[in-house]
Amino acid sequence: KLLPTSWAASLHDLPARTARLRARGYPAPRHEVHPVGPLGVLVVQDLVAGAVPTHVPDALLGRLLDLNALQAGLGAADDEPWGRVLRRTLTDGADGFCLHAPLRAHWPRSRALLEQVEDVGARLDPASVPDGDVVHTDYHHRNVLQADGRVAAVIDWEGSRSGDRVFDLVTLAFGLAQARTDAGAEERVWRLVEAARPRSVILAYVAHMALRQVDWSIRHHDAATVERWLEVSERRLRLVS
């Protein structure tokens, strides 16, 4: 993948980060990072044979939860504090994702969601957000490759960084809301999240995912997809607020 030069600082630890995960038995491909001048930063990962699952049965979900636990304590001390990064996405947005302008311009309903997201960000104390793990930041079933009934790889680590692995469980739960699963799969993940973190932190994670999914859908998908993600986001924000 060729990424903008603005990503260079966040990519510096990527090869070592995935190496630390592999040392724990985590199926993270080997990565190389190559600056290519004004063109950007080239990220190369090992080719892994496998297919994206179309169904997330309980056995696969259990494996993804186990893998998430392996991310604990493997963050890098020199990364920007995770709480500060999270708060910035809620109050200002990020580089290429979590954009505020599309929600503000799209529908009255998306504007109302954005106001709620920004309010959560304004009230969040960054120091209250756990840190020190590896966080994938886009941990959902479509970033998983399966081969012969096993997880061959978790892919798409370019956005990973130091942070809180429980954020990845929130991301996983959001993805399961739009996946084919066994009964109760989504709530199984939410129960783990609720047992692991205080409500204020969970609310910030949910607000981030609401912003991210709705923004991306407005810019890249149809009105029906935007509507689905608005419904998921509004429902989960009501439950955690």
Side-chain angles (χ1 to χ4, degrees), residues 77-95:
D78 60 345
D79 269 357
E80 182 180 5
W82 168 238
R84 197 161 68 195
V85 172
L86 176 68
R87 187 177 191 272
R88 186 165 62 244
T89 68
L90 302 178
T91 58
D92 301 305
D95 185 4

Side-chain angles (χ1 to χ4, degrees), residues 20 38-39 50 55 57 70 72 101 103 109 142 154 160 176 187 193:
R20 294 194 297 272
L39 294 176
H55 174 219
L70 294 179
L103 277 75
R109 190 174 168 192
R142 296 196 62 80
V154 176
S160 64
L176 293 176
E187 290 309 316
V193 170

Side-chain angles (χ1 to χ4, degrees), residues 55-61 176 179-188:
H55 174 219
V56 185
D58 284 343
L60 174 57
L61 178 57
L176 293 176
R180 186 163 63 92
T181 67
D182 292 349
E186 186 184 346
E187 290 309 316
R188 177 183 175 186

Side-chain angles (χ1 to χ4, degrees), residues 94-183:
D95 185 4
F97 65 100
C98 285
L99 304 187
H100 290 214
L103 277 75
R104 188 172 292 114
H106 192 65
W107 291 338
R109 190 174 168 192
S110 62
R111 285 198 296 274
L113 177 67
L114 178 63
E115 289 172 2
Q116 188 174 0
V117 166
E118 290 178 338
D119 180 65
V120 171
R123 291 186 287 112
L124 178 67
D125 175 10
S128 71
V129 182
D131 209 332
D133 305 332
V134 165
V135 57
H136 182 286
T137 75
D138 202 17
Y139 191 70
H140 57 77
H141 68 286
R142 296 196 62 80
N143 276 330
V144 173
L145 297 180
Q146 282 190 295
D148 301 322
R150 62 182 177 83
V151 174
V154 176
I155 59 172
D156 200 21
W157 287 93
E158 292 80 19
S160 64
R161 52 162 297 113
S162 298
D164 177 15
R165 67 178 183 83
V166 174
F167 175 84
D168 282 345
L169 296 182
V170 173
T171 307
L172 177 62
F174 261 75
L176 293 176
Q178 302 288 307
R180 186 163 63 92
T181 67
D182 292 349

Side-chain angles (χ1 to χ4, degrees), residues 4-23:
T5 53
S6 58
W7 284 53
S10 63
L11 290 168
H12 78 282
D13 187 50
L14 177 59
R17 183 181 307 136
T18 50
R20 294 194 297 272
L21 288 164
R22 287 194 303 277

Side-chain angles (χ1 to χ4, degrees), residues 25-56:
Y26 197 113
R30 185 174 61 91
H31 287 72
E32 295 179 356
V33 177
H34 301 280
V36 285
L39 294 176
V41 183
L42 185 67
V43 177
V44 183
Q45 71 170 21
D46 280 344
L47 180 66
V48 180
V52 173
T54 58
H55 174 219
V56 185

Side-chain angles (χ1 to χ4, degrees), residues 216-235:
W216 191 261
S217 296
I218 290 171
R219 289 187 289 129
H220 297 283
H221 299 296
D222 59 15
T225 303
V226 176
E227 178 78 19
R228 285 198 302 273
W229 281 117
L230 279 168
E231 290 176 359
V232 170
S233 300
E234 291 165 348
R235 173 172 59 87

